[in-house]
């Protein structure tokens, strides 16, 4: 029996194209795992009225490790219309299976590395004062709080009377007290000290492991005095009591987006609450290749699930051969391997994770095999004829680099 069992959840659309590619790579590096399939996504919603069936939740609870592709989600009316006839009219409500997974297993640490791989034509460049074009070495990982903040899900249009009464006790609410219920929408931003402390600690632990000299807390405490204030306080406390040797810098999220467009290489580790982290990590990902390169981990105390940040890209899902870039998925698998390496002190896994990153970096650096997104051409059936590599060819190139590395070592 293998040391680990991974629940593989390809989901919808291109999730089914990229996840098998990651498995080829995991097998090639010798990751000591068995794989069990977990149902998730739109088909499950249509057939069973639940995009994350209980049997998948049970598999995750048992095996603690998940690799997830992507899902499709559709607006409320379409969701109801596509339900199987036997499930219609039962008042079933669609919930995002990813959000449900994060909440059920308290996957509160979202880790999103945005690392410029040399040779990627999509990397951010700028001109020096002497006119020379340079490509700064971006190596940023965003630690996004994954379960609270603006995405706590506590929202109303036309809030119930007792909520209005409670809000009316706040002096600032007076300005809204005459707005009719149907014209009033509220979303509650919740921050708790334990969760703020956990995300800060995860960020500092990572900075320590990688030898980075500072961590940035990116919030807006001058305006969001309570919630951003608590995020910042927690980060300061963790720095002072647990990581005094690492610096803590504080930026406001608006300014941070400007700084990342000017000097992205100045930031290695960023802590942010849910919405801000979501925005920052997408913005950073855009500087290092975008969706084809954006990997992520959703990490809780017990369970961890790794996934590319892209969705199911339905317009490319039926293409044969598939054309989408498998790198985001493959790097997500590498993050999973590194995660178990650290968590279970498994040196072989740590080394396998590094080998995957290196093989991907080598293929990108060589520049011979590029998927359509790396060539800045329009995706679609014609992409291959225009010289783009298929999804499988990209993986083949990565596997070849792993073989070369193995041969050189032997
Ligand atoms: P998307 O991420 O699926 O695709 C947007 C565009 O990005 C694609 O049309 C394609 O041009 C490009 N792209 C995405 N992945 C790529 C890859 N690996 N290689 C090369 N190019 C890639 O986002 P979209 O179109 O907004 O949503 C499609 C569906 O996916 C929706 O149903 C949406 O709800 C869902 N979605 C699911 C997510 C998840 O599973 N985590 C995240 C985002 C969207
Ligand atoms: Mg995804």
């Amino acid at each position: 029996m293998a040391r680990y069992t991974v629940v593989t959840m390809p989901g919808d659309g291109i999730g089914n194209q990229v996840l098998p590619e990651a498995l080829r790579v995991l097998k090639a590096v010798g990751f000591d795992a068995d794989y069990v399939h977990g149902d998730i996504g739109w088909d499950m919603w249509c057939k069973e009225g639940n995009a994350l069936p209980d049997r998948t939740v049970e598999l995750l609870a048992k095996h603690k490790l998940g690799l997830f592709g992507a899902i499709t989600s559709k607006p409320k009316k379409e969701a109801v219309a596509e339900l199987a006839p036997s499930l219609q009219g039962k008042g079933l409500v669609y919930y995002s299976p990813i959000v449900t997974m994060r909440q059920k297993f308290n996957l509160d640490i979202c880790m999103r590395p945005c690392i410029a791989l040399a040779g990627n034509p999509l990397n951010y460049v700028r001109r020096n004062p002497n006119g020379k074009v340079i490509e700064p070495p971006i190596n940023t990982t965003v630690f996004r709080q994954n379960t609270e903040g603006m995405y706590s899900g506590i929202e109303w249009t036309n809030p119930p009377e007792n909520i209005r009464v409670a809000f009316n006790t706040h002096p600032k609410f007076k300005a809204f007290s005459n707005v009719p219920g149907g014209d009033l929408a509220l979303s509650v931003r919740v921050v708790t000290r334990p969760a703020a402390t956990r995300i800060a600690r995860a960020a500092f632990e990572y900075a320590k492991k990688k030898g980075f000299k500072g961590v940035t807390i990116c919030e807006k405490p001058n305006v969001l005095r309570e919630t951003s204030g608590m995020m910042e306080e927690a980060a300061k406390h963790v720095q002072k009591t647990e990581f005094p040797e690492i610096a803590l810098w504080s930026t406001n999220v608006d300014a941070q987006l400007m700084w990342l467009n000017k000097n992205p290489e100045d930031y290695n580790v960023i802590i942010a609450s849910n919405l801000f982290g979501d925005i920052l990590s997408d913005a950073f990902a855009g500087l290092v290749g975008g969706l084809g390169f954006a990997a992520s981990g959703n990490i809780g105390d017990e369970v961890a699930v790794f996934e590319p940040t892209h969705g199911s890209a339905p317009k490319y899902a039926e293409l044969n051969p598939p054309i989408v870039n498998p790198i985001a998925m493959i790097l997500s698998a590498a993050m999973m391997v590194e995660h178990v390496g650290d968590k279970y002190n498994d040196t072989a896994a740590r080394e396998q994770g590094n080998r995957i990153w290196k093989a991907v970096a080598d293929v990108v650096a060589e520049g011979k095999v590029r998927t359509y997104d790396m060539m800045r051409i329009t995706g679609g059936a014609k992409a291959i004829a225009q010289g783009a590599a298929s999804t499988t060819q990209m993986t083949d190139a990565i596997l070849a680099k792993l073989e070369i590395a193995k041969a050189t070592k032997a």
Side-chain angles (χ1 to χ4, degrees):
M1 216 177 100
R3 181 159 180 192
Y4 309 104
T5 300
V6 181
V7 183
T8 54
M9 298 165 281
D12 301 311
I14 64 164
N16 294 287
Q17 300 176 337
V18 292
L19 198 137
E21 303 300 312
L23 296 185
R24 290 171 70 202
V25 173
L26 289 171
K27 283 172 189 158
V29 291
F31 183 53
D32 189 6
D34 290 326
Y35 299 90
V36 293
H37 172 88
D39 287 329
I40 193 169
W42 197 249
D43 279 353
M44 300 306 124
W45 161 253
C46 297
K47 284 189 212 142
E48 303 178 20
N50 182 0
L52 183 66
D54 291 345
R55 57 185 179 280
T56 306
V57 173
E58 280 156 24
L59 283 176
L60 281 169
K62 182 170 174 199
H63 301 299
K64 321 264 186 252
L65 208 53
L67 201 54
F68 163 59
I71 48 104
T72 297
S73 62
K74 297 184 189 179
K76 209 166 150 184
K77 275 190 188 152
E78 279 174 65
V80 172
E82 291 189 28
L83 270 176
S86 60
L87 297 172
Q88 302 264 349
K90 293 197 168 167
L92 290 170
V93 180
Y94 177 85
Y95 291 107
S96 155
I98 311 168
V99 176
T100 310
M101 208 150 55
R102 287 174 185 155
Q103 288 167 345
K104 270 203 181 346
F105 295 109
N106 194 30
L107 308 179
D108 63 333
I109 313 286
C110 180
M111 194 180 162
R112 295 190 161 182
C114 301
I115 299 172
L117 301 175
N120 185 350
L122 304 177
N123 284 344
Y124 166 94
V125 293
R126 72 165 172 263
R127 246 174 238 290
N128 263 352
N130 63 12
K132 192 168 170 255
V133 174
I134 58 152
E135 191 176 305
I138 301 174
N139 184 344
T140 305
T141 297
V142 176
F143 283 81
R144 160 188 171 194
Q145 206 297 324
N146 219 13
T147 48
E148 304 187 341
M150 277 314 282
Y151 296 175
S152 303
I154 306 164
E155 304 192 292
W156 300 269
T157 295
N158 195 5
E161 193 49 32
N162 56 350
I163 299 298
R164 282 196 83 129
V165 170
F167 270 94
N168 265 324
T169 62
H170 195 288
K172 292 279 183 194
F173 198 73
K174 296 268 182 311
F176 309 107
S177 58
N178 292 325
V179 179
D183 295 344
L184 181 71
L186 298 175
S187 298
V188 183
R189 188 180 202 241
V190 181
V191 168
T192 66
R193 202 179 301 277
T197 305
R198 275 174 54 84
I199 191 72
R201 188 175 291 127
F204 274 101
E205 275 166 1
Y206 175 81
K208 187 172 179 177
K209 174 179 149 194
K210 295 285 177 182
F212 292 132
K213 63 180 194 292
V215 168
T216 302
I217 169 85
C218 176
E219 282 293 322
K220 188 83 184 179
N222 53 335
V223 180
L224 300 169
R225 307 181 86 84
E226 305 303 329
T227 46
S228 284
M230 189 175 283
M231 285 293 296
E232 194 182 41
E233 247 175 53
K236 281 184 177 162
H237 183 74
V238 168
Q239 188 268 342
K240 201 169 144 200
T241 55
E242 300 176 40
F243 300 90
E245 72 285 8
I246 299 174
L248 175 68
W249 300 298
S250 190
T251 57
N252 281 342
V253 64
D254 46 349
Q256 180 69 72
L257 285 161
M258 182 269 294
W259 287 118
L260 87 85
N261 276 297
K262 283 191 75 151
N263 305 316
E265 71 272 35
D266 290 353
Y267 303 90
N268 295 122
V269 186
I270 297 187
I271 310 166
S273 53
N274 212 336
L275 168 65
F276 291 170
D278 198 8
I279 296 171
L280 283 165
S281 55
D282 265 22
F284 261 107
L287 304 178
V288 298
L291 290 173
F293 290 84
S296 80
N298 303 282
I299 302 164
D301 262 346
E302 292 260 307
V303 176
V305 177
F306 296 80
E307 54 157 334
T309 65
H310 63 71
S312 60
K315 66 181 178 190
Y316 301 145
E318 304 303 325
L319 292 182
N320 193 7
I323 60 155
V324 293
N325 192 345
I327 288 181
M329 181 82 238
I330 290 169
L331 291 180
S332 303
M335 287 176 74
M336 176 184 80
V337 174
E338 286 181 307
H339 167 78
V340 300
D342 286 344
K343 183 162 178 169
Y344 303 107
N345 205 10
D346 178 344
T347 15
R350 271 201 210 110
E351 183 256 345
Q352 288 156 359
N354 284 336
R355 271 163 56 206
I356 301 175
W357 277 95
K358 169 122 190 1
V360 170
D362 286 350
V363 170
V364 174
E366 195 175 66
K368 281 194 202 151
V369 179
R370 287 177 172 165
T371 43
Y372 83 93
D373 54 315
M374 298 173 74
M375 299 171 68
R376 302 194 64 94
I377 57 174
T378 314
K382 288 192 193 132
I384 304 281
Q386 290 173 291
S390 69
T391 307
T392 326
Q393 284 170 334
M394 175 54 91
T395 314
D396 290 344
I398 294 166
L399 294 177
K401 290 292 175 200
L402 286 170
E403 279 305 313
I404 293 169
K406 203 159 98 188
T408 326
K409 219 173 139 192

